[in-house]
Amino acid sequence: MSNSNQAEMNDVQGLILKGYNFPHIRYIILSIKDVNGAKKLCAGLASQNNPKGLHITTAEPWKNMIKPNYCLNIGFTYWGLEKLIGAANCNEISDDSSAEVFASFKKGAIADAPEMGDTDESAPANWWKNGGWIPKQKPEPDGSDLHIQLTLFTLTPENREKYYADLLQMIPKTTSGAAVIPVYYQDSDPITVDGNSDYVHFGYRDSLSQPRIDDIIWNKPKLKKLMGISSIDDRPKVPLDRFVISSDADDYNAHPLLVNGSFAAFRLLYQDEAKFNKFIHSDPKTSPELMAAKMCGRWRDGTPLVVSPDKEDKTLGEPSSKNFNFTNFNYLAPSPNQQGDQSSDEDGLKCPYAAHIRRANPRDDFNVTGNSNNAETHRIVRRASPYGPVYDPNEKAGIQRGLVGLFIGAVLDFQFRFVTKLWLEMGGFRNPDDSPNYSGVDPLFGPQVSDANPYDSIFAFNKNDTYNEVPGLTRFIRTDGSLYLFLPGITGLKYIAEGKIPPSS
């Protein structure tokens, strides 16, 4: 892995390197009807000096640290990229890139669904049916009609409508209609609990932990001080080339079009809060709050179990991404500034091996399959947010709620695909594993209906020095849609707008 080059902030899309913290978001999927018109739209979005239209937001710091009225980012499916630059150019990109960089993107989320556990109710045949699909005709079974994904971030609901209308006005018209049409959208708005809007469904505090990316301006001590962020941050620095595609990476090669871009899995995840609440109340020997904490690895307020295994710890301060008391911890040995309990959790007595945050980021637990470097090869930037209303036990059936957004990494095979397949969906991912069911599947997701492994329907965790086995674990999260996306740099987007690719180096 290489850290030789700092990020070219004006060429990298902003959401790759920094969360915007805008409360009102619209995720949009577009279908190309006229290639030339689509290229003109891309050219307009790539221009940073277009006074009449919207433009793609880069990673450059905002002037005077003041948020703009909107942010906008773009991604392309393989189908979309092929339409815009042609099959021959796509083949050249594939030939000049490592297989793990481009092959899974080309394969696409639909063909990859069985590998990612998107089966049964989560199978692609059931995607895009939660109410956001716009055309009368159904989506193509192979996903070939889904080409561009745009994410619009705004500060108010009114601005969301305003800038969405402005975006639609940028789409060129042809004699047969718009060159590009929206086919799906999903809005996201904050979930407020006790006056705080940083929550997600299932009742957990969110926005606490993202990778600490090396060689970007946001992590420089001077800027962190200006932003009111502590410098006492124990998170290991993850090389920039895990998130921004580089021509100098040690473990992958990438065609020049891909440089300064990234890849992402766009995921629409329905959360069944009624089932979840039923399960956390199902064991009379365990309080629902403790059960929820053991399943996640954090108490509902964000307190890590490793730091405080018995209760929320209010002495940690206000939970936020600026308070590293909520991220300064390890599993085998305490991090330098870890608060609270300092004992090793090598045996998973405080935080189960199966817990969601331990599976998604095993930190210093080198007994986990494929974790030889504090998980840095496999870290993912999550730019996802909740949709749908807060759960009401008396609500009518069919209310849609969940999590929607992008899971970003330079190499899908190293990051999203690896973590999903080997850490979230597979038991026995750690050796040794003394839990009675080899940790089963990620308990926040739960087993699929067709999962015949009896261990996977059990959630096992240590309580009072003995393992407690709770049966009846079921699927709580359903995939309602997925795309694999390429998020180009601004230079790359300009090439795409011309239907070209830069020469191979």
Side-chain angles (χ1 to χ4, degrees):
M1 284 167 268
S2 169
N3 279 321
S4 60
N5 295 316
Q6 292 191 1
E8 298 176 71
M9 305 294 272
N10 64 349
D11 198 47
V12 177
Q13 293 197 53
L15 86 168
I16 298 172
L17 297 180
K18 179 176 172 56
Y20 301 138
N21 295 320
F22 278 48
H24 304 284
I25 308 168
R26 179 162 293 170
Y27 300 90
I28 311 148
I29 300 174
L30 303 169
S31 183
I32 296 172
K33 299 301 179 182
D34 179 83
V35 171
N36 289 330
K39 290 177 181 178
K40 290 179 181 178
L41 173 63
C42 291
L45 294 174
S47 172
Q48 301 297 299
N49 301 305
N50 183 359
K52 295 183 179 180
L54 279 65
H55 60 80
I56 299 303
T57 303
T58 71
E60 284 193 299
W62 297 323
K63 187 176 181 180
N64 299 322
M65 306 299 291
I66 298 174
K67 290 184 177 184
N69 290 325
Y70 75 88
C71 291
L72 182 69
N73 292 105
I74 190 168
F76 299 90
T77 66
Y78 180 82
W79 293 107
L81 189 64
E82 187 179 72
K83 267 188 171 290
L84 290 166
I85 66 173
N89 282 332
C90 283
N91 289 336
E92 183 175 331
I93 295 169
S94 180
D95 291 342
D96 290 344
S97 303
S98 303
E100 58 268 18
V101 170
F102 204 73
S104 293
F105 166 67
K106 183 175 181 178
K107 182 179 182 182
I110 289 179
D112 205 31
E115 292 284 313
M116 296 300 100
D118 290 336
T119 59
D120 301 322
E121 290 183 337
S122 293
N126 300 316
W127 291 356
W128 317 118
K129 295 182 178 180
N130 74 332
W133 186 256
I134 299 170
K136 292 181 179 179
Q137 68 271 25
K138 296 179 180 179
E140 294 294 332
D142 60 359
S144 58
D145 54 340
L146 308 180
H147 302 134
I148 302 172
Q149 193 275 321
L150 290 168
T151 307
L152 175 64
F153 304 82
T154 61
L155 297 171
T156 66
E158 294 77 18
N159 271 357
R160 181 166 58 194
E161 298 305 324
K162 174 190 181 314
Y163 288 110
Y164 181 60
D166 291 346
L167 176 65
L168 296 182
Q169 286 296 315
M170 293 179 66
I171 298 174
K173 305 297 188 295
T174 70
T175 55
S176 57
V180 178
I181 63 167
V183 293
Y184 180 85
Y185 80 97
Q186 178 63 64
D187 285 348
S188 171
D189 296 290
I191 290 178
T192 301
V193 176
D194 296 330
N196 189 285
S197 59
D198 283 331
Y199 279 82
V200 292
H201 297 294
F202 295 167
Y204 295 105
R205 189 72 176 259
D206 197 32
S207 304
L208 294 174
S209 180
Q210 293 280 10
R212 182 186 182 190
I213 305 174
D214 200 7
D215 276 339
I216 61 171
I217 192 171
W218 308 112
N219 284 328
K220 302 300 179 185
K222 183 177 180 180
L223 191 62
K224 290 177 76 170
K225 185 175 181 180
L226 288 172
M227 297 168 66
I229 301 176
S230 168
S231 61
I232 304 175
D233 185 356
D234 294 347
R235 294 174 301 164
K237 292 180 180 179
V238 183
L240 179 64
D241 62 19
R242 300 302 90 183
F243 307 105
V244 177
I245 297 171
S246 171
S247 59
D248 297 322
D250 295 335
D251 54 355
Y252 66 80
N253 298 315
H255 184 278
L257 182 81
L258 308 181
V259 171
N260 282 343
S262 195
F263 288 99
F266 174 77
R267 304 284 280 174
L268 178 68
L269 302 174
Y270 167 76
Q271 294 178 247
D272 193 329
E273 196 140 8
K275 282 185 180 179
F276 177 79
N277 284 340
K278 181 179 179 180
F279 182 77
I280 64 174
H281 286 83
S282 66
D283 182 11
K285 299 176 293 183
T286 305
S287 73
E289 287 305 307
L290 177 60
M291 182 81 82
K294 291 288 187 179
M295 292 171 73
C296 179
R298 294 183 184 271
W299 294 93
R300 284 296 202 9
D301 77 336
T303 301
L305 281 174
V306 169
V307 171
S308 180
D310 299 319
K311 62 181 179 179
E312 296 179 352
D313 187 350
K314 302 302 182 184
T315 68
L316 299 180
E318 178 65 18
S320 81
S321 60
K322 298 180 180 181
N323 183 350
F324 296 119
N325 287 336
F326 291 84
T327 54
N328 287 344
F329 67 91
N330 278 324
Y331 293 113
L332 302 192
S335 69
N337 294 286
Q338 181 170 319
Q339 302 296 303
D341 194 322
Q342 300 287 301
S343 62
S344 172
D345 197 32
E346 183 170 0
D347 296 328
L349 304 184
K350 293 182 288 185
C351 179
Y353 303 139
H356 176 70
I357 69 164
R358 189 161 185 167
R359 300 182 84 126
N361 178 17
R363 296 174 182 260
D364 67 334
D365 190 346
F366 301 123
N367 297 299
V368 170
T369 301
N371 183 29
S372 60
N373 56 2
N374 281 294
E376 68 178 35
T377 299
H378 308 299
R379 293 307 312 277
I380 298 169
V381 165
R382 179 170 68 86
R383 305 298 186 212
S385 51
Y387 69 89
V390 174
Y391 175 67
D392 179 352
N394 299 314
E395 69 187 22
K396 64 180 182 180
I399 300 296
Q400 297 297 310
R401 63 173 56 83
L403 191 75
V404 57
L406 288 86
F407 296 76
I408 301 170
V411 183
L412 287 168
D413 284 14
F414 293 168
Q415 292 157 287
F416 173 78
R417 296 186 73 251
F418 180 96
V419 171
T420 300
K421 182 179 180 180
L422 295 181
W423 288 353
L424 301 186
E425 294 285 346
M426 187 179 77
F429 65 96
R430 186 190 193 275
N431 186 23
D433 183 342
D434 294 329
S435 61
N437 68 334
Y438 302 101
S439 295
V441 299
D442 185 319
L444 288 192
F445 283 81
Q448 292 286 10
V449 174
S450 62
D451 189 338
N453 186 344
Y455 287 148
D456 290 348
S457 63
I458 296 169
F459 177 52
F461 60 92
N462 191 279
K463 183 181 176 185
N464 301 325
D465 295 325
T466 60
Y467 267 99
N468 192 38
E469 298 182 52
V470 183
L473 188 68
T474 187
R475 195 72 173 180
F476 304 123
I477 295 179
R478 182 185 73 220
T479 302
D480 277 357
S482 185
L483 301 171
Y484 287 168
L485 300 171
F486 169 52
L487 314 178
I490 300 304
T491 300
L493 181 57
K494 290 177 179 177
Y495 273 107
I496 292 170
E498 295 179 356
K500 300 177 181 178
I501 59 174
S504 299
S505 54

